Amino acid sequence: MVTFNLAYTAPVNPAGATPVLTVPQVWAGLQRKVRRAQDFVPVIEACDVLSEGTDARTGNLRVVREVRFRAGFEPSAGAHGGARVRETCAHFAPRRVDFAQPDGSTISNIVSDGPDGALLMTYAFEWRYPDVREGSEEAKALEEKSWKTAKMAVHGSIDTIRRLVKDGEIR
């Protein structure tokens, strides 16, 4: 079994980016991303919300959804194009959403402030591949793909939130 723990961080408001996004705008974007993942992450083709409610233990919003990944970007080894994955999404307003998959893989979308006060977005991943041998060529290829996917997901989310703000869909 191979498990990749990795994270990627990018500034939400790099020099010259307009409009400058605020924490409430980014949070609204993350909430929308839970329901319409395909608008934010290019490797996701579709997203269906199956249920929504309050977690009795934490009081936080909990959404169960099913996403379909593009061929070649499935989270589990051995999955085929169009693989559907159920995720439980836990909201921790206004700075984090955690996504849990049935195989134990997890993703956290985190909004934070850097030491200079800059707004940052980090996606932290724990990808589990139970049928892949540690050190194999397949493991190396999956790790490389995971890094590319992480970077793409963070930048795609920031770009989409900025576009939604420009278009007036997020205020």
Side-chain angles (χ1 to χ4, degrees), residues 1-2 4 77-78 129-136 138-140 142:
M1 178 169 151
V2 173
F4 300 123
Y129 296 94
D131 299 326
V132 177
R133 191 172 45 84
E134 184 80 37
S136 68
E138 182 181 14
K140 290 174 190 171
L142 284 169

Side-chain angles (χ1 to χ4, degrees), residues 41-46 67-76 78-84 145 149 152:
V41 182
V43 300
I44 295 177
E45 290 181 326
V67 295
R68 187 176 68 239
F69 287 86
R70 275 188 18 222
F73 293 94
E74 300 83 358
S76 298
H80 302 289
R84 297 187 76 77
K145 183 176 79 171
T149 299
M152 179 188 345

Side-chain angles (χ1 to χ4, degrees), residues 94-110:
R95 297 283 186 148
R96 189 177 96 222
V97 179
D98 291 343
F99 304 81
Q101 297 179 352
D103 70 356
S105 294
T106 60
I107 303 106
S108 292
N109 295 181
I110 304 162

Side-chain angles (χ1 to χ4, degrees), residues 6-55:
L6 53 109
Y8 182 83
T9 301
V12 171
N13 295 306
T18 59
V20 172
L21 301 177
T22 65
V23 171
Q25 289 169 326
V26 174
W27 179 246
L30 289 178
Q31 290 176 299
R32 185 174 175 142
K33 179 178 171 276
V34 166
R35 291 168 179 79
R36 296 211 31 94
Q38 68 275 16
D39 296 344
F40 293 80
V41 182
V43 300
I44 295 177
E45 290 181 326
C47 177
D48 297 309
V49 172
L50 305 176
S51 67
E52 184 173 330
T54 301
D55 184 312

Side-chain angles (χ1 to χ4, degrees), residues 83 86 100 106 122 142-143 156 161-163:
R86 183 176 289 229
T106 60
T122 299
L142 284 169
E143 184 173 23
I161 294 168
R162 191 173 318 285
R163 179 184 52 77

